[in-house]
Amino acid sequence: MSIRTPTIQYTSSKAGRDLSNVALVAVSKRKPIEDIAQAVTAGQTHFGENYLQDAQDKIDHFQSQNLCSPLVWHFIGRIQSNKAKTIAQLFDVVETVDRLKIANALQKHLVSLNKIMQVYVQINIGRESQKAGVMPEDAIEFVKQVATNKQLQVNGLMAMPPFNADPEQTRKYFRQMKELAKKVEKQGVLETCGLSMGMSGDYPVAIEEGATLVRVGTAIFGERS
Ligand SMILES: *Cc1c(COP(=O)(O)O)cnc(C)c1O
């Protein structure tokens, strides 16, 4: 397979945004080590995974490679509290914090690991019953609570809006996320509130609306089996 490079440069300049403010997380879930190795050769450093066992093998593999710039692993799946310890050990960033129980469990394990973890609070921006995430109106209070955990550095908010084949239909959710981020900053809860939003089908629109981090799988690695 060959790695395709998403056109973040193009969309950013179109949106009048500074490219240095948009990071790409290559979502490598269910993709083999060889695919990740190709992306690493192409200069990619941030990777997203959501299956723990699968992620462990990959992270162990690349840790043993002594790369000159270490990879940054993002956990983007639903967190079960009995898995908090493994997640705290393996990952650098957790993007799916949506329950205080999880935040507290991560905090506890991070203390014993003497490790600081960057986290995002997941927002259920489309208010979908089948999706994880904090409701938008609870976001401010929730972020405040999570930030009391000293080992957790809250970078911002994350969302997976309702799926729509037409990315223009998703724009309003990205806009709502941006409004929420502004509110978080205005109320002094976080100094700067990052936004992890946008996937293969809609990342250009997400960048136009203020994403600081996009999570792209299929557009880089091809369809997952
Ligand atoms: C799978 C996944 C992605 C990437 O999806 P693509 O459509 O393949 O780009 C992004 N975010 C999360 C949370 C995911 O689970």
Side-chain angles (χ1 to χ4, degrees):
M1 63 139 270
S2 65
I3 301 285
R4 279 170 283 167
T5 309
T7 54
I8 286 187
Q9 189 135 21
Y10 167 74
T11 48
S12 295
S13 58
K14 188 173 151 222
R17 303 239 351 249
D18 180 353
L19 183 63
S20 64
N21 289 333
V22 186
L24 169 65
V25 176
V27 176
S28 48
K29 64 187 185 195
R30 288 192 265 147
K31 290 291 175 183
I33 283 173
E34 300 78 70
D35 289 12
I36 301 174
Q38 266 196 58
V40 170
T41 305
Q44 180 62 28
T45 50
H46 289 252
F47 291 91
E49 290 282 339
N50 63 354
Y51 301 105
L52 271 190
Q53 188 51 58
D54 195 22
Q56 172 127 43
D57 295 344
K58 293 170 182 176
I59 294 170
D60 288 349
H61 172 84
F62 287 99
Q63 243 154 22
S64 70
Q65 302 266 301
N66 277 320
L67 299 170
C68 42
S69 42
L71 302 184
V72 181
W73 295 95
H74 294 238
F75 187 75
I76 58 169
R78 208 178 268 238
I79 310 171
Q80 295 164 281
S81 49
N82 63 340
K83 298 288 164 58
K85 186 176 181 182
T86 312
I87 291 170
Q89 282 167 339
L90 288 177
F91 286 85
D92 306 290
V93 187
V94 174
E95 297 204 22
T96 46
V97 174
D98 69 344
R99 280 164 293 154
L100 288 178
K101 189 181 165 194
I102 296 297
N104 298 338
L106 287 172
Q107 163 70 19
K108 187 183 84 181
H109 297 299
L110 289 164
V111 168
S112 36
L113 293 163
N114 192 23
K115 176 175 171 179
I116 304 285
M117 174 89 85
Q118 296 178 37
V119 301
Y120 288 79
V121 165
Q122 184 173 1
I123 306 295
N124 189 349
I125 196 67
R127 319 180 78 86
E128 296 169 280
S129 57
Q130 78 280 16
K131 276 209 185 130
V134 175
M135 285 300 163
E137 63 273 21
D138 301 328
I140 300 274
E141 189 51 37
F142 188 84
V143 171
K144 268 187 205 163
Q145 291 294 325
V146 173
T148 62
N149 294 290
K150 295 291 176 237
Q151 310 301 117
L152 303 183
Q153 182 194 311
V154 187
N155 277 1
L157 309 176
M158 175 273 202
M160 273 215 283
F163 176 78
N164 199 300
D166 174 10
E168 278 305 322
Q169 301 302 315
T170 312
R171 188 181 293 275
K172 64 171 181 286
Y173 296 108
F174 292 145
R175 255 183 213 170
Q176 288 168 20
M177 286 295 292
K178 179 67 186 177
E179 286 308 310
L180 209 49
K182 279 194 209 151
K183 214 162 141 186
V184 168
E185 290 173 357
K186 219 164 155 187
Q187 299 199 11
V189 183
L190 301 178
E191 206 169 298
T192 52
C193 184
L195 282 174
S196 171
M197 58 189 194
M199 318 200 324
S200 292
D202 55 20
Y203 68 86
V205 176
I207 292 170
E208 284 168 14
E209 297 303 331
T212 57
L213 199 142
V214 290
R215 310 176 309 269
V216 180
T218 313
I220 298 173
F221 297 108
E223 294 291 338
R224 288 176 291 274
S225 48

